[in-house]
């Protein structure tokens, strides 16, 4: 069953990003390219993007970086240009 789960995440970069960062879906959907520090492998969220209204920084592991790159390849301007 684990193999199916990993396979499903690979087909949906947003789910993979959320699974690797622990972010809420609304916060993940707000992610902007400018917030990503590719060299340090971090995403800096401003207080206005967070539910608790406090700035937050998220570390990106190798899998998460791959999901973000995949999403950017598909959308171009914003990693997750979806709404809910």
């Amino acid at each position: 069953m684990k193999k199916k789960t990993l396979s499903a995440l690979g087909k949906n970069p947003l789910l993979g990003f959320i699974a690797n960062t622990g972010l809420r879906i609304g916060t993940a959907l707000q992610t902007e390219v400018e917030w990503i520090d590719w060299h340090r492998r971090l995403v800096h969220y401003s207080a206005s993007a967070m539910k608790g209204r406090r700035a937050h920084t998220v570390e990106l592991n190798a899998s998460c970086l791959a999901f973000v790159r995949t999403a950017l390849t598909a959308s171009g301007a914003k990693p997750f240009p979806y709404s809910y």
Side-chain angles (χ1 to χ4, degrees), residues 64-84:
C64 195
L65 284 171
F67 288 124
V68 173
R69 286 191 176 108
T70 299
L72 284 171
T73 301
S75 70
K78 192 170 179 179
F80 312 109
Y82 317 109
S83 61
Y84 67 103

Side-chain angles (χ1 to χ4, degrees), residues 5 9-10 13-14 16 21-22 25-28 32 36 45 51 53-54 60 62 74 77-78 81 84:
T5 303
L9 291 177
L14 177 60
T21 61
I25 191 166
T27 302
E32 299 284 342
I36 302 170
Y45 291 91
K51 181 178 180 182
R53 299 295 178 224
R54 292 185 180 199
L60 303 176
K78 192 170 179 179
Y84 67 103

Side-chain angles (χ1 to χ4, degrees), residues 37-58:
D37 182 340
W38 297 101
H39 298 289
R40 293 186 180 144
R41 297 167 60 157
L42 301 170
V43 180
H44 302 284
Y45 291 91
S46 64
S48 63
M50 301 301 296
K51 181 178 180 182
R53 299 295 178 224
R54 292 185 180 199
H56 185 64
T57 300
V58 176

Side-chain angles (χ1 to χ4, degrees), residues 9-26:
L9 291 177
K11 293 178 183 175
N12 189 327
L14 177 60
L15 291 179
F17 184 75
I18 291 169
N20 279 275
T21 61
L23 289 171
R24 296 172 180 269
I25 191 166

